[in-house]
Amino acid sequence: MALEIDLHCDMGESFGIYSLGNDQAMMPHVTSISVGCGFHAGDPHVMRQTVALAKEHGVAVGSHPGFPDLIGFGRRKMHISRQEAADYIIYQTGALKAFCDQAGVALQHIKPHGELYQMAWHDDDLARGILEGLAVFRPTPIFLALYNTLPYNLARQMGVRVAGELYADLDYLPDGTTTIKKKHGAVNVAATVDKVLKMVLENKVATLDGQEITVQGRSICLHGDNPRAPELAQALRRELEARGVKILPLHAQSFA
Amino acid sequence: MALEIDLHCDMGESFGIYSLGNDQAMMPHVTSISVGCGFHAGDPHVMRQTVALAKEHGVAVGSHPGFPDLIGFGRRKMHISRQEAADYIIYQTGALKAFCDQAGVALQHIKPHGELYQMAWHDDDLARGILEGLAVFRPTPIFLALYNTLPYNLARQMGVRVAGELYADLDYLPDGTTTIKKKHGAVNVAATVDKVLKMVLENKVATLDGQEITVQGRSICLHGDNPRAPELAQALRRELEARGVKILPLHAQSFA
Amino acid sequence: MALEIDLHCDMGESFGIYSLGNDQAMMPHVTSISVGCGFHAGDPHVMRQTVALAKEHGVAVGSHPGFPDLIGFGRRKMHISRQEAADYIIYQTGALKAFCDQAGVALQHIKPHGELYQMAWHDDDLARGILEGLAVFRPTPIFLALYNTLPYNLARQMGVRVAGELYADLDYLPDGTTTIKKKHGAVNVAATVDKVLKMVLENKVATLDGQEITVQGRSICLHGDNPRAPELAQALRRELEARGVKILPLHAQSFA
Amino acid sequence: MALEIDLHCDMGESFGIYSLGNDQAMMPHVTSISVGCGFHAGDPHVMRQTVALAKEHGVAVGSHPGFPDLIGFGRRKMHISRQEAADYIIYQTGALKAFCDQAGVALQHIKPHGELYQMAWHDDDLARGILEGLAVFRPTPIFLALYNTLPYNLARQMGVRVAGELYADLDYLPDGTTTIKKKHGAVNVAATVDKVLKMVLENKVATLDGQEITVQGRSICLHGDNPRAPELAQALRRELEARGVKILPLHAQSFA
């Protein structure tokens, strides 16, 4: 069976008068987006507009819930309880789902943002809270998570459809986790394409310290604040398709 | 056909460490509640708990969206656009609906809070924005509004099921609108029961300046911060039922 | 005596990860700035950095307090009481003053932002609340206000030093007030310089409907989000100085 | 020389419509208060009122800055940088100081709140950030901190006047730190007085696990949400004075 890969970007991170990212330029090149839900970024107006833009381009939509920390963009560690994690996922995703309903698009997936995504790698309670929040929605959204992390494995155990996320433009550590960058510099497109091809076709990626580790994933995450991101997305699509990989949103992929 | 009346209370207005209202004491005595959604009051934790408590008592749930003004409790006039009104209704109600889905209860109605409720009496754009927000949800929630006001009449024209709200413990002005009280003092239960009976059975209410005007409604609003509110609710139920009025949540009432 | 004019720009309007304006580029060209204080824009980090940058360039600092409405950037009308206005001015200006103390610069002035600035033109309570807030600080800051408006005239009656603000890049209405633009387009530098020269040297400005009205002011407001703002500032300085006008921050000007 | 002890309570923790604590009842019985500054609790209106009430009773005022986490009441761990800590202390304390200036009372001290207080026990960067913020104010406020903790010792090294805080109604751990209680139940007044007398007169306190450790302090912290707190405060004052201890606010105590 042909490999299937989703091209994915976090969007809807503007707030009020403040503009962030490059959603207009990236939308034509991706198959899925994760939309900020008003806690770490995004507001009701931005959410509506982002979902409408996705629909216009036939792009699948997921929620991107984060910590209630706008000033820190959800990138500061906060210690919340399992119940709070569930409640925050439900609140934010529920709000986004209403905009999806308005636009007539499905809620494809949930992908926690920033430190809510990262802290759960090492916090069983947090991971469980996130998945309890996800379980509220029908049809159950796909869980977008980093391969082989605690929440990824937990979701698999629970029978939740989970999609591994591959980072085109972040560095990998030996344990398979990645480093957040405050700002994503200009990427080397050719080198990044090579890295992604290796991740997708050989399930291998080089770590920062020169090792090679196994990764699996259905979704390649691109960062829209990178000025060459649209170019990178186009190159990835072209090179992946040239090798027989199908570029498909998560909901159109085959889950065993 | 017998008259049908809903007993209703705004709930879920606590926030974080802050407690407001008397939800535990009032819940057994009402048939519907409107739940704060995090903008003027309420937070994800409070929303989940409030919906769960309603389910436990078989009480119907609606959303109570307000202005994004926690410090002013949504009781300060803010000039927002029609689009912003729609977006705020969608965001807040969507968040609440997710907690309803979690608890397995329906989203019965939408009732805007405070100045979002009141400013719409005199602002066609605001009224339309609110109703555009309401129209997103399926099944379409009942719109809870003050009789004969602009949003009430607009909803009827649009074919939305609208329920008139009758205020047991607020004063009426000659134009049929009511005055918000910052704090609801101890009510005279007997006098309030008489007032409500007259509203329900004769469709009449005395105004502050001694006139008598026509009112219609399916829902009697009680305020839980009134220490005698539980007693009042019980007396209303008893006296209304004694006169053949059925006490029913809005969703169980007959809409022509 | 030579005319004295302050060149002024609103700054420090970034928030968290969000960047707004062009403070680095404009700072060398102005003599005073008004700094966002965290309610409608700005955060503690941005405030500290902005004050430090002003100090580096020898630019005078004032506070720019606004409504507690980050999502609306303080540009939505909110109805607050006189006491709330005073409290908001005190809170925000007090916070900024601490950063001024840290940097060793004086708090030169207070200029309300957005609708807090504009609503006071027609609201005596609001104007009085603002001035009650200003009166708390020592030495009493200069009040930066639009010429001949209610708060401007009230400040004069109260003996507060008040500086008229002249808008280089906003349109004037026949009553002497101006219109807020959501976004400031590219200006015609030559035409704007002519307009300002006329305002400063002849105390006249053309209104949108072709009349000519009297204006007075000590401070010319420029908007940093205009891409040609640095060029405009330089041209204004050059042309004003060529006509014998001294470019001086407000605190260095002579108040009768 | 006679021992000198401050009786102290956290106040000004109400927010908007939400009331917390029992400031009116406690104010007559204390010599100092720490006032919430709007991040974890408190708002501009509450701050003004609280400072005014303190002035009325001749009670000394300090700031009680916390994490920007209203929903979590500043009691959730947040990982902020040293610079952010300094900025938050400066912003919040500056805001409070303006209300102190308005009322004509001095800013006596700074006491971080909740997890900003507690995390600094084990985080050198956080402790330094807090003290960098404190150093901005003139005259330099007293630093109120738990005896022998990292920030306490750091302040002493830096030559900052630091006052040890003794907790009448919290349990001590063997390392000299205390446990936060979400809610403070009714205290046993007699037992608490005995505990405090021992802390003040013998510098000893029993820990949860039955050890006895050394403590030193100039300020006894009482919690106003305890219904017997006023009674406890009166008993403490009486018993301490009976043993020759002077009850004095921190600013009136002798610092070597």
Side-chain angles (χ1 to χ4, degrees), chain C residues 14-174:
Chain C
S14 295
F15 182 87
I17 200 174
Y18 298 109
S19 185
L20 190 71
N22 202 1
D23 295 4
Q24 290 278 352
M26 280 301 283
M27 196 67 88
H29 305 298
V30 296
T31 45
S32 299
I33 59 167
S34 298
V35 181
C37 300
F39 273 38
H40 74 282
D43 67 32
H45 182 73
V46 169
M47 290 163 78
R48 180 181 44 79
Q49 286 188 314
T50 307
V51 170
L53 187 67
K55 183 187 170 74
E56 188 186 322
H57 289 272
V59 168
V61 173
S63 76
H64 199 36
F67 283 136
D69 180 23
L70 185 64
I71 202 175
F73 194 59
R75 287 187 179 159
R76 302 192 290 200
K77 288 192 198 326
M78 286 185 72
H79 294 253
I80 65 172
S81 70
R82 175 173 170 170
Q83 184 66 66
E84 287 171 327
D87 293 344
Y88 291 172
I89 296 286
I90 295 168
Y91 184 96
Q92 295 180 69
T93 302
L96 182 71
K97 188 172 187 299
F99 289 104
C100 290
D101 289 346
Q102 180 183 37
V105 307
L107 176 77
Q108 175 187 258
H109 69 274
I110 297 180
K111 174 191 168 187
H113 166 85
E115 280 292 350
L116 182 56
Y117 185 84
Q118 299 212 142
M119 288 181 77
W121 294 343
H122 312 291
D123 184 336
D124 189 72
D125 263 4
L126 198 53
R128 287 183 190 275
I130 291 168
L131 287 165
E132 284 159 7
L134 178 139
V136 163
F137 297 91
R138 289 290 173 279
T140 309
I142 296 164
F143 183 50
L144 191 47
L146 198 65
Y147 172 67
N148 209 22
T149 54
L150 192 154
Y152 179 95
N153 294 328
L154 191 59
R156 289 183 65 95
Q157 288 165 28
M158 294 166 64
V160 171
R161 287 181 303 165
V162 55
E165 196 175 19
L166 300 171
Y167 279 94
D169 52 4
L170 293 185
D171 294 321
Y172 277 83
L173 302 177

Side-chain angles (χ1 to χ4, degrees), chain B:
Chain B
M1 196 182 69
L3 284 168
E4 299 165 333
I5 285 291
D6 172 58
L7 292 180
H8 167 266
C9 190
D10 300 338
M11 291 198 186
E13 297 186 327
S14 296
F15 182 88
I17 200 174
Y18 299 110
S19 184
L20 190 70
N22 203 1
D23 295 5
Q24 291 277 353
M26 280 300 283
M27 195 67 89
H29 305 298
V30 297
T31 45
S32 300
I33 60 167
S34 298
V35 181
C37 301
F39 272 38
H40 74 280
D43 67 33
H45 182 73
V46 170
M47 290 162 78
R48 180 179 44 78
Q49 286 189 315
T50 307
V51 171
L53 187 66
K55 182 186 170 72
E56 191 185 321
H57 289 272
V59 168
V61 173
S63 75
H64 199 36
F67 283 137
D69 179 22
L70 185 65
I71 202 175
F73 194 60
R75 287 188 179 158
R76 301 192 292 199
K77 289 191 196 330
M78 287 185 73
H79 294 253
I80 65 172
S81 70
R82 174 173 171 170
Q83 184 66 67
E84 287 170 327
D87 293 345
Y88 291 172
I89 297 287
I90 295 168
Y91 183 96
Q92 294 179 70
T93 303
L96 182 70
K97 189 173 186 300
F99 289 104
C100 290
D101 289 346
Q102 180 184 36
V105 305
L107 177 76
Q108 174 187 259
H109 68 275
I110 297 180
K111 174 190 168 188
H113 167 85
E115 280 293 349
L116 181 57
Y117 184 85
Q118 298 212 140
M119 289 180 76
W121 295 341
H122 313 290
D123 184 335
D124 189 72
D125 263 4
L126 198 53
R128 287 183 190 276
I130 290 168
L131 288 164
E132 284 159 8
L134 177 139
V136 163
F137 297 91
R138 287 292 173 278
T140 308
I142 295 165
F143 184 50
L144 190 48
L146 198 64
Y147 172 67
N148 208 22
T149 54
L150 193 154
Y152 179 96
N153 293 328
L154 192 59
R156 289 182 66 94
Q157 289 165 30
M158 294 166 65
V160 171
R161 286 181 303 164
V162 55
E165 197 175 18
L166 300 171
Y167 279 95
D169 52 4
L170 292 185
D171 294 320
Y172 277 82
L173 302 177
D175 69 352
T177 65
T178 52
T179 55
I180 282 189
K181 290 182 186 169
K182 293 272 170 178
K183 201 148 194 152
H184 304 94
V187 291
N188 179 323
V189 171
T192 306
V193 168
D194 285 348
K195 174 183 167 189
V196 170
L197 291 176
K198 187 161 186 166
M199 289 196 285
V200 172
L201 302 173
E202 306 175 31
N203 293 330
K204 295 289 177 198
V205 72
T207 63
L208 258 183
D209 64 347
Q211 302 180 44
E212 195 169 83
I213 59 170
T214 298
V215 289
Q216 281 182 22
R218 298 167 171 276
S219 182
I220 296 166
C221 183
L222 303 165
H223 289 96
D225 57 347
N226 182 325
R228 300 186 66 184
E231 179 191 348
L232 174 60
Q234 288 172 288
L236 282 174
R237 182 184 288 263
R238 188 178 58 239
E239 297 302 325
L240 286 165
E241 288 181 341
R243 282 156 185 82
V245 179
K246 288 188 182 163
I247 306 301
L248 287 173
L250 295 171
H251 68 85
Q253 298 185 15
S254 343
F255 280 81

Side-chain angles (χ1 to χ4, degrees), chain C residues 168-229:
Chain C
D169 52 4
L170 293 185
D171 294 321
Y172 277 83
L173 302 177
D175 69 352
T177 64
T178 52
T179 56
I180 281 190
K181 290 181 187 171
K182 292 271 169 176
K183 202 148 194 154
H184 304 94
V187 291
N188 178 323
V189 171
T192 307
V193 168
D194 285 349
K195 173 184 167 189
V196 170
L197 290 176
K198 187 161 185 165
M199 288 197 285
V200 171
L201 301 172
E202 305 175 31
N203 293 331
K204 295 288 176 197
V205 71
T207 62
L208 259 183
D209 65 347
Q211 302 180 42
E212 194 169 82
I213 60 169
T214 297
V215 289
Q216 279 181 23
R218 298 166 170 276
S219 183
I220 297 166
C221 183
L222 303 165
H223 289 95
D225 57 347
N226 182 326
R228 299 186 66 184

Side-chain angles (χ1 to χ4, degrees), chain A residues 13-20 40-44 70-73 75 182, chain C residues 13-20 40-44 70-73 75 182:
Chain A
E13 296 186 328
S14 295
F15 183 88
I17 200 174
Y18 299 109
S19 185
L20 190 71
H40 74 281
D43 68 32
L70 185 64
I71 203 176
F73 194 59
R75 287 188 178 158
K182 292 272 169 177
Chain C
E13 295 185 329
S14 295
F15 182 87
I17 200 174
Y18 298 109
S19 185
L20 190 71
H40 74 282
D43 67 32
L70 185 64
I71 202 175
F73 194 59
R75 287 187 179 159
K182 292 271 169 176

Side-chain angles (χ1 to χ4, degrees), chain D:
Chain D
M1 196 181 71
L3 285 168
E4 299 166 333
I5 285 290
D6 172 57
L7 292 180
H8 165 267
C9 190
D10 300 338
M11 291 199 185
E13 297 186 327
S14 295
F15 182 88
I17 200 174
Y18 299 109
S19 185
L20 190 71
N22 202 0
D23 295 4
Q24 291 278 352
M26 279 301 283
M27 195 67 86
H29 306 298
V30 295
T31 46
S32 301
I33 60 167
S34 298
V35 181
C37 299
F39 273 38
H40 74 281
D43 67 31
H45 183 72
V46 170
M47 290 162 77
R48 180 181 44 78
Q49 286 189 316
T50 307
V51 171
L53 186 67
K55 183 188 169 75
E56 191 185 321
H57 289 272
V59 168
V61 173
S63 75
H64 199 37
F67 282 136
D69 180 22
L70 186 64
I71 202 176
F73 194 58
R75 287 187 179 159
R76 299 192 292 200
K77 290 192 197 326
M78 287 186 72
H79 294 252
I80 66 172
S81 70
R82 174 173 171 170
Q83 185 65 69
E84 287 170 327
D87 293 346
Y88 292 171
I89 296 286
I90 295 169
Y91 183 96
Q92 295 180 69
T93 302
L96 181 71
K97 188 172 187 301
F99 289 105
C100 289
D101 289 347
Q102 180 183 37
V105 305
L107 176 76
Q108 174 187 261
H109 70 274
I110 297 179
K111 174 191 167 187
H113 167 85
E115 280 292 351
L116 181 56
Y117 185 84
Q118 298 211 140
M119 287 180 78
W121 295 342
H122 311 291
D123 184 337
D124 189 73
D125 263 3
L126 197 53
R128 287 182 190 277
I130 290 168
L131 288 165
E132 284 159 8
L134 177 140
V136 163
F137 297 91
R138 288 290 173 278
T140 308
I142 295 164
F143 183 50
L144 192 47
L146 197 64
Y147 172 66
N148 208 22
T149 54
L150 192 156
Y152 179 94
N153 293 328
L154 192 59
R156 288 183 67 94
Q157 288 165 28
M158 295 167 63
V160 171
R161 285 182 304 164
V162 54
E165 197 175 19
L166 300 171
Y167 280 94
D169 51 5
L170 292 186
D171 294 320
Y172 278 81
L173 302 177
D175 69 351
T177 64
T178 52
T179 56
I180 283 189
K181 290 182 188 170
K182 293 271 169 177
K183 202 150 194 150
H184 304 93
V187 290
N188 179 324
V189 172
T192 307
V193 168
D194 285 348
K195 173 184 168 189
V196 170
L197 290 176
K198 186 160 187 168
M199 288 196 285
V200 172
L201 301 172
E202 306 175 31
N203 293 330
K204 295 289 175 196
V205 71
T207 62
L208 260 182
D209 63 347
Q211 302 180 44
E212 194 169 82
I213 58 170
T214 297
V215 289
Q216 280 181 24
R218 298 166 170 277
S219 183
I220 297 166
C221 183
L222 303 165
H223 290 96
D225 57 347
N226 182 326
R228 300 186 66 183
E231 180 192 346
L232 174 60
Q234 288 172 291
L236 282 174
R237 181 184 289 264
R238 188 178 58 241
E239 298 302 323
L240 286 165
E241 288 181 341
R243 283 155 186 81
V245 179
K246 289 187 181 165
I247 305 301
L248 287 173
L250 294 171
H251 68 85
Q253 298 185 14
S254 341
F255 280 80

Side-chain angles (χ1 to χ4, degrees), chain A residues 18-41:
Chain A
Y18 299 109
S19 185
L20 190 71
N22 204 1
D23 295 4
Q24 290 278 353
M26 278 302 282
M27 195 67 87
H29 305 299
V30 296
T31 46
S32 299
I33 61 167
S34 297
V35 181
C37 300
F39 272 38
H40 74 281

